[in-house]
C-alpha cells in the first residue's frame, strides 16, 4: 500500500504596472482560497466523512489524520468543517424534503439520542432514494407538528410503528410495520398463546401470497383477520380495575389485540396496496447509524452539533441510496455542485 500523503498547492499572486497609466493591477486567487494557508476541499471532505459516516469522535479523527499524514489537525477544524457542510447542504436538504413529500410511500421512525446530557429525539422520514433527519426535544405530536417536520406536507402512505402520534395526521394513509407485530406475537407464543401462533401463521401466509391472490381473496383475508381477533378476545383476560386512580391493568396480549382490532386497515395495508412494504425496515436502517455513532463517539455536546450531524447524515444516506461515491459528492458540494443539485430542483 503506498504511503498516504498530502498534496500542497502554492498560489502566487502577480502584479503588473500599466505602461500607459502606471496603475498597479493585481490578480485574484481562485475561488475558495481565502487564507495564507488552509486545508483544501479534499481534506475537509475526508474529515467530515470520518466524523459523520464512519462515526469517529473528533479526537479520533485528529489521531487517524496524524497517523496517516503526519499533520496534527485541530479538533476545531473538524467542527468548523462540519458547520461549513451544514450551511452548504441546506439547499440539498430542501430538495430532499420536497422529493419525500412528493412520494407515494414514505417511512418514518424516531430514536432517542443524548444531547447536552439530556434525552432528545432524532426523527427520520425517508423513501427508497431520500433520507431526511431532524432533532427535537420531544418524540410525539409536538415534534411531528414542528416546523422541522414534513409530515404536514405529506399525503401518501406513511409506514411506521404503532406510535399513536402518527395517527393524529388524518390526511395521511397509515401502514403499520408488521415486523413489530411479529415480534410481539413471537413473545406471546413463547408464553404458550395459541391465538398468537395462529395469527402469526395467518399474517405470514398473506405476506407470501401474490398480489393477485390477495386481491381475489380480500374478503376472505379480512374475515379471517376478524375471526382470529374474535377468538383472541375470548382468550385474553379482560382489563382489571385498580383500586383508586389509574388505568385498568391489561396483559401484553390484550394490548396487542386491541391494537390489531383498532388498526386493522393499517396492519393489512401491505396486502391490498402493492406500493406499501410489509415492514418499516427502511426507516429503521436509516436511523441505526445514529445509535452506532453514540456508542463510538458518545453524546452530542450541543444541540447545534446534533443538527449539523442530522443534515450531513441525511445527505450521506441519500448519496448511498443513489449509489454515489460519498467522498466525491462531499468534495463536489464544497466546489458548488453535487448530484442532488445537478439532477433535482427544489420546488418554490
Amino acid at each position: 500500500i503506498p504511503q498516504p500523503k498530502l498534496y500542497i498547492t502554492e498560489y502566487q499572486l502577480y502584479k503588473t504596472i500599466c505602461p500607459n497609466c502606471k496603475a498597479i493591477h493585481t490578480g485574484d486567487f481562485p475561488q475558495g482560497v481565502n487564507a495564507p494557508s488552509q486545508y483544501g476541499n479534499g481534506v475537509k471532505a475526508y474529515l467530515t466523512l470520518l466524523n459523520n459516516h464512519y462515526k469517529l469522535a473528533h479526537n479520533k479523527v485528529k489521531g487517524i489524520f496524524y497517523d496517516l499524514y503526519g499533520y496534527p489537525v485541530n479538533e476545531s477544524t473538524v467542527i468548523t468543517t462540519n458547520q461549513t457542510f451544514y450551511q452548504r447542504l441546506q439547499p440539498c436538504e430542501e430538495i430532499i424534503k420536497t422529493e419525500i413529500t412528493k412520494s407515494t410511500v414514505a417511512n418514518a421512525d424516531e430514536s432517542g439520542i443524548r444531547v447536552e446530557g439530556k434525552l432528545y429525539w432524532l426523527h427520520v422520514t425517508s423513501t427508497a432514494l431520500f433520507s431526511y433527519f431532524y432533532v427535537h426535544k420531544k418524540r410525539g405530536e409536538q415534534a411531528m407538528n414542528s416546523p422541522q417536520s414534513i409530515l404536514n406536507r405529506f399525503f401518501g402512505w406513511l409506514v411506521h410503528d404503532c406510535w399513536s402520534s402518527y395517527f393524529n395526521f388524518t390526511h395521511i394513509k397509515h401502514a403499520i410495520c408488521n415486523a413489530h407485530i411479529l415480534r410481539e406475537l413471537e413473545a406471546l407464543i413463547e408464553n404458550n398463546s395459541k391465538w398468537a401462533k395462529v395469527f402469526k401463521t395467518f399474517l405470514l401466509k398473506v405476506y407470501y401470497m401474490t398480489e393477485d391472490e390477495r386481491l381475489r381473496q380480500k374478503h376472505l383475508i379480512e374475515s379471517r383477520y376478524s375471526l382470529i381477533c374474535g377468538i383472541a378476545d375470548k382468550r385474553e383476560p379482560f382489563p382489571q380495575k385498580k383500586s383508586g386512580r389509574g388505568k385498568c391493568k391489561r396483559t401484553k396480549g390484550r394490548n396487542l389485540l386491541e391494537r390489531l382490532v383498532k388498526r386493522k386497515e393499517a396492519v393489512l395495508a401491505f396486502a391490498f396496496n402493492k406500493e406499501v412494504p410489509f415492514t418499516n425496515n427502511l426507516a429503521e436502517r436509516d436511523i441505526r447509524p445514529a445509535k452506532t455513532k453514540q456508542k463510538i463517539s458518545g453524546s452530542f455536546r450541543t444541540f447545534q452539533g446534533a443538527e449539523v450531524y442530522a443534515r450531513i447524515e441525511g445527505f450521506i444516506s441519500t448519496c448511498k441510496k443513489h449509489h454515489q461515491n460519498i467522498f466525491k459528492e462531499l468534495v463536489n458540494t464544497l466546489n458548488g455542485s453535487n448530484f442532488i443539485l445537478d439532477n433535482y430542483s427544489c420546488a418554490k
Side-chain angles (χ1 to χ4, degrees):
I1 299 177
Q3 176 66 36
K5 63 179 180 179
L6 296 175
Y7 290 90
I8 301 174
T9 302
E10 179 184 7
Y11 295 94
Q12 296 181 350
L13 200 62
Y14 287 94
K15 297 180 180 180
T16 185
I17 301 175
C18 177
N20 296 323
C21 65
K22 307 303 180 181
I24 298 176
H25 297 273
T26 305
D28 296 322
F29 285 114
Q31 184 178 3
V33 179
N34 306 313
S37 62
Q38 64 183 58
Y39 290 109
N41 291 344
V43 171
K44 293 176 181 178
Y46 182 58
L47 297 178
T48 296
L49 189 67
L50 291 177
N51 183 229
N52 292 273
H53 185 54
Y54 292 107
K55 318 296 182 291
L56 297 184
H58 295 150
N59 62 329
K60 294 292 185 182
V61 174
K62 176 182 177 181
I64 193 172
F65 197 83
Y66 180 76
D67 290 340
L68 289 176
Y69 303 107
Y71 289 87
V73 63
N74 293 326
E75 292 182 31
S76 61
T77 302
V78 181
I79 297 173
T80 302
T81 300
N82 282 338
Q83 291 173 342
T84 299
F85 275 103
Y86 177 77
Q87 296 168 357
R88 294 290 184 91
L89 290 174
Q90 194 272 336
C92 294
E93 186 177 73
E94 292 301 318
I95 292 174
I96 289 172
K97 292 193 290 185
T98 299
E99 292 299 319
I100 292 175
T101 56
K102 287 161 45 178
S103 300
T104 305
V105 180
N107 296 61
D109 200 5
E110 67 290 328
S111 183
I113 58 174
R114 304 297 296 181
V115 180
E116 299 174 340
K118 300 177 182 178
L119 177 63
Y120 279 66
W121 293 89
L122 179 66
H123 295 257
V124 61
T125 311
S126 61
T127 65
L129 291 177
F130 298 93
S131 301
Y132 169 63
F133 297 87
Y134 69 93
V135 182
H136 201 277
K137 289 184 177 181
K138 300 295 183 180
R139 179 187 182 189
E141 184 176 358
Q142 186 175 339
M144 295 176 187
N145 283 305
S146 67
Q148 298 98 308
S149 175
I150 59 175
L151 295 184
N152 281 318
R153 292 189 277 149
F154 180 72
F155 294 90
W157 284 100
L158 187 68
V159 186
H160 53 81
D161 55 22
C162 213
W163 183 241
S164 59
S165 298
Y166 288 111
F167 291 99
N168 293 329
F169 295 93
T170 55
H171 64 280
I172 291 176
K173 294 176 285 186
H174 297 275
I176 290 178
C177 172
N178 282 289
H180 284 76
I181 301 295
L182 290 174
R183 284 197 289 268
E184 292 186 71
L185 290 171
E186 190 60 38
L188 294 176
I189 293 172
E190 292 176 359
N191 290 321
N192 299 316
S193 172
K194 294 183 179 179
W195 78 264
K197 185 175 182 179
V198 173
F199 195 94
K200 178 184 176 182
T201 303
F202 158 76
L203 195 60
L204 290 176
K205 183 179 179 180
V206 175
Y207 172 67
Y208 287 114
M209 284 181 176
T210 64
E211 182 185 345
D212 291 338
E213 288 175 330
R214 293 172 187 165
L215 294 177
R216 285 200 309 269
Q217 301 182 38
K218 181 178 180 181
H219 179 71
L220 180 62
I221 291 171
E222 293 176 335
S223 299
R224 180 68 174 169
Y225 185 107
S226 299
L227 177 63
I228 299 173
C229 289
I231 295 173
D233 185 53
K234 298 177 182 178
R235 300 286 179 86
E236 288 294 335
F238 284 95
Q240 300 177 1
K241 291 185 178 181
K242 288 184 177 181
S243 57
R245 297 181 178 181
K247 295 182 179 180
C248 297
K249 185 178 181 180
R250 288 174 167 80
T251 63
K252 292 183 178 180
R254 172 60 62 176
N255 284 332
L256 175 59
L257 171 62
E258 291 181 357
R259 211 179 317 134
L260 292 174
V261 173
K262 185 178 181 180
R263 306 299 181 188
K264 178 180 178 180
E265 291 185 2
V267 174
L268 291 177
F270 79 94
F272 312 123
N273 304 276
K274 62 180 181 179
E275 66 271 23
V276 177
F278 184 71
T279 72
N280 192 32
N281 285 346
L282 177 64
E284 292 179 354
R285 287 196 301 268
D286 283 341
I287 212 164
R288 193 172 297 134
K291 308 300 288 185
T292 305
K293 180 173 175 61
Q294 284 206 132
K295 290 179 180 178
I296 297 174
S297 303
S299 62
F300 295 97
R301 296 178 184 177
T302 65
F303 180 72
Q304 173 65 19
E307 285 188 314
V308 168
Y309 168 78
R311 181 174 292 177
I312 295 175
E313 182 61 28
F315 176 75
I316 289 175
S317 177
T318 301
C319 285
K320 292 177 64 178
K321 291 179 177 181
H322 282 81
H323 306 290
Q324 299 295 317
N325 183 290
I326 301 171
F327 175 76
K328 179 181 177 181
E329 293 305 326
L330 288 173
V331 173
N332 289 342
T333 298
L334 293 179
N335 291 331
S337 179
N338 56 48
F339 82 98
I340 293 180
L341 297 175
D342 293 341
N343 295 283
Y344 299 92
S345 60
C346 184
K348 301 295 183 181

